[in-house]
Amino acid sequence: MGEHSFVLQGNICYSETKDRLSITDRGYLVCERGISRGVFRELPEAFQALPVADYGELLIIPGLVDLHLHGPQYTFRGLGMDLELLEWLDTYTFPEESRYRDLEYARTAYQRFAKDLKMSATTRAVIFGTVHGEATESLMDALESTGLRTFVGKVSMDQNCSDSLREESSGAALEAVLSWLKAAEGRYARTKPILTPRFAPTCSESLLAGLGRLQQETGLPVQSHLSENLSEISWVKELFPWSSCYGDVYQHFGLFGGEAKTVMAHCVHSTDLEIDMMKEAGVYIAHCPQSNMNLSSGIAPVRSYLEKGLSVGLGTDVAGGANLSMFRSMADAVNVSKLYWRLVDQRKRPLTMEEVFYLATRGGGAFFGPVGSFEEGFELDALVLDDEAITGVGSFSTRERLERYMYLADEGRLAAKYVAGLPIAIHKPAAVPAQPACAG
Ligand code: GUN
Ligand code: FE
């Protein structure tokens, strides 16, 4: 049967559509060579030779996709959460990212980040590095060894940031991207490069134009930030007075969807024009609710995005968001949508549990291809969730258990994790008891 072929048995949930969960209690999820063959109530004859991992009554769900986070910011999570975006960048983010010039520091920090991401519920992620090419390679090395599937970008920025981070010129910045791509070429099976202009304010027009050309030549995907915060948006208008909206700056240089698979983080204050452009170009939106609260950015109108049929996933935006938990991101997405409904627009009903689960699985998963579902043909990323400590003496349906796990994940336990059929070693080796045995 080849590698990564097996059956998982348990209480299996995945999104059929954004409004409907598929739930099969004590069902069988079949994986052949890393690809799902579907979920069955009875194990079909054809798969009976496969090894079965029986997880009893535990929950089995698709892996969670973090569509936007910053690897180097893992080190200072939780700092400056009383500041607004631009002040937070200057005070904490840029100084910390400068430290990644030191390759030893970068290696140590990225090992830690990759290890914690591996142990988390995230199976796929789209990640910013720093401007430093070699450090970004070390981030890719660390991630590759986790078994997770990621896109990783060396950041490009040649203006409006601290001297210690600013690339010398647009030419030097483009050269640096090329040498990073060359060094990374052929080295990774699971870790892919993505072009990463940090955000419009830190990129000169000539850098954006060069990255647009490079995108055309290479077909690489693109990630950046868009319409996150009001002060940032006015700054973009000053810097690019010709633009019809913030997104137009990226669009103008060929960095906004279409042939270029693109994910833009935030889109909290996108104008109607910008929303139409994203829809037209198939740009993915990474909704990062915790970050939007922490950095006083606002509430992204996700209900409208879903109504309009845009592609949306969820992100943590670490360190805008203080932790790696995609369960937290789902719960926060529900929470902020309720504030939006209550305080901003009562026609926009809050997101449901089904919808945020869809966003964290299929919504973001689509950026990676057929990912985020257990339907036949999807790459098989799965989590096995042990919620015994959460359930206690209660009696809950599988749907209720899943909803409670979103809010109470800290009290639950990730029992197993698979990415494209590969089992990920998430269990720490059993600790040797340190304390002397006590008698009686
Ligand atoms: N915009 C530009 N850089 C950043 C960053 O590092 N984090 C967030 N949240 N927004 C940004
Ligand atoms: Fe970000």
Side-chain angles (χ1 to χ4, degrees):
M1 271 297 181
E3 262 195 309
H4 309 323
S5 297
F6 52 80
V7 178
L8 305 182
Q9 193 178 7
N11 288 5
I12 301 169
C13 314
Y14 65 91
S15 293
E16 280 176 6
T17 66
K18 63 185 166 50
D19 302 310
R20 197 167 62 241
L21 287 178
S22 159
I23 296 181
T24 311
D25 286 339
R26 295 293 296 140
Y28 299 88
L29 166 60
V30 177
C31 176
E32 270 190 326
R33 290 177 293 278
I35 304 294
S36 173
R37 291 291 162 232
V39 175
F40 304 91
R41 289 190 187 286
E42 307 289 338
L43 187 59
E45 187 79 31
F47 304 125
Q48 289 193 353
L50 293 176
V52 179
D54 185 352
Y55 288 107
E57 296 290 334
L58 300 192
L59 300 170
I60 302 178
I61 66 169
L64 305 181
V65 179
D66 191 337
L67 212 46
H68 178 71
L69 77 164
H70 299 256
Q73 297 177 16
Y74 192 65
T75 40
F76 76 99
R77 291 168 303 137
L79 271 186
M81 303 278 80
D82 47 0
L83 302 180
E84 221 180 312
L85 172 69
L86 299 178
E87 217 183 342
W88 173 79
L89 286 175
D90 285 339
T91 313
Y92 291 101
T93 313
F94 292 155
E96 176 57 20
E97 289 192 13
S98 302
R99 301 185 72 180
Y100 286 72
R101 177 202 307 260
D102 172 353
L103 198 51
E104 269 319 296
Y105 182 80
R107 281 202 184 110
T108 311
Y110 283 147
Q111 291 288 346
R112 179 67 185 263
F113 165 67
K115 178 173 144 282
D116 289 356
L117 194 66
K118 174 181 170 182
M119 299 299 187
S120 79
T122 297
T123 46
R124 312 232 175 189
V126 187
I127 305 175
F128 274 56
T130 61
V131 291
H132 313 98
E134 275 187 87
T136 305
E137 282 170 54
S138 81
L139 172 59
M140 296 172 89
D141 293 342
L143 287 165
E144 179 74 10
S145 68
T146 61
L148 307 190
R149 304 252 169 153
T150 58
F151 286 102
V152 175
K154 184 206 102 60
V155 167
S156 296
M157 55 176 170
D158 66 344
Q159 62 176 25
N160 294 323
C161 58
S162 59
D163 290 348
S164 57
L165 276 181
R166 191 174 47 247
E167 297 181 287
E168 235 169 66
S169 63
S170 59
L174 290 166
E175 276 304 313
V177 177
L178 287 174
S179 19
W180 163 66
L181 288 173
K182 193 150 183 282
E185 199 176 339
R187 260 180 46 202
Y188 307 105
R190 300 179 269 261
T191 317
K192 298 192 173 148
I194 181 166
L195 298 176
T196 307
R198 182 179 204 113
F199 68 153
T202 56
C203 299
S204 66
E205 294 195 8
S206 116
L207 173 55
L208 291 168
L211 289 172
R213 281 193 301 275
L214 186 57
Q215 195 292 318
Q216 276 214 319
E217 285 159 22
T218 57
L220 287 171
V222 177
Q223 63 177 345
S224 194
H225 296 91
L226 178 64
S227 296
E228 176 177 4
N229 190 282
L230 293 172
S231 37
E232 168 212 19
I233 294 168
S234 345
W235 197 19
V236 170
K237 195 71 214 164
E238 274 169 41
L239 291 166
F240 305 90
W242 49 263
S243 58
S244 57
C245 61
Y246 186 162
D248 187 31
V249 176
Y250 299 122
Q251 165 103 310
H252 185 83
F253 295 106
L255 297 165
F256 204 63
E259 295 294 301
K261 183 156 74 173
T262 299
V263 56
M264 287 286 157
H266 307 303
C267 307
V268 174
H269 303 285
S270 292
T271 59
D272 288 345
L273 174 66
E274 187 165 281
I275 294 167
D276 288 347
M277 284 167 59
M278 288 193 284
K279 163 95 180 160
E280 171 81 24
V283 169
Y284 283 75
I285 295 169
H287 174 44
C288 306
Q290 193 196 147
S291 168
N292 296 159
M293 292 187 274
N294 285 335
L295 300 176
S296 318
S297 297
I299 311 172
V302 175
R303 166 64 61 214
S304 303
Y305 295 158
L306 295 180
E307 285 169 353
K308 293 188 160 113
L310 275 83
S311 300
V312 186
L314 294 183
T316 59
D317 191 26
V318 156
N323 59 55
L324 292 173
S325 173
M326 286 298 297
F327 289 111
R328 167 92 194 258
S329 185
M330 284 188 261
D332 285 342
V334 173
N335 286 341
V336 302
S337 75
K338 294 176 109 168
L339 291 178
Y340 191 89
W341 170 66
R342 179 63 72 205
L343 302 174
V344 183
D345 185 346
Q346 288 175 18
R347 291 163 307 177
K348 300 298 172 198
R349 67 191 160 82
L351 300 182
T352 63
M353 170 273 198
E354 280 80 3
E355 286 170 327
V356 296
F357 183 65
Y358 176 93
L359 295 180
T361 55
R362 283 184 95 134
F367 194 75
F368 289 80
V371 169
S373 167
F374 292 148
E375 280 166 20
E376 178 164 20
F378 275 68
E379 293 178 30
L380 195 132
D381 297 359
L383 305 176
V384 181
L385 308 178
D386 178 353
D387 61 344
E388 203 205 328
I390 299 171
T391 304
V393 295
S395 162
F396 298 98
S397 69
T398 298
R399 184 204 171 281
E400 288 170 336
R401 287 170 58 197
L402 177 60
E403 181 173 13
R404 296 182 80 230
Y405 205 97
M406 285 180 192
Y407 287 84
L408 301 168
D410 287 352
E411 299 169 35
R413 183 180 71 94
L414 187 58
K417 175 168 174 173
Y418 300 82
V419 181
L422 177 72
I424 307 293
I426 52 171
H427 297 294
K428 299 181 188 92
V432 179
Q435 67 276 58
C438 49

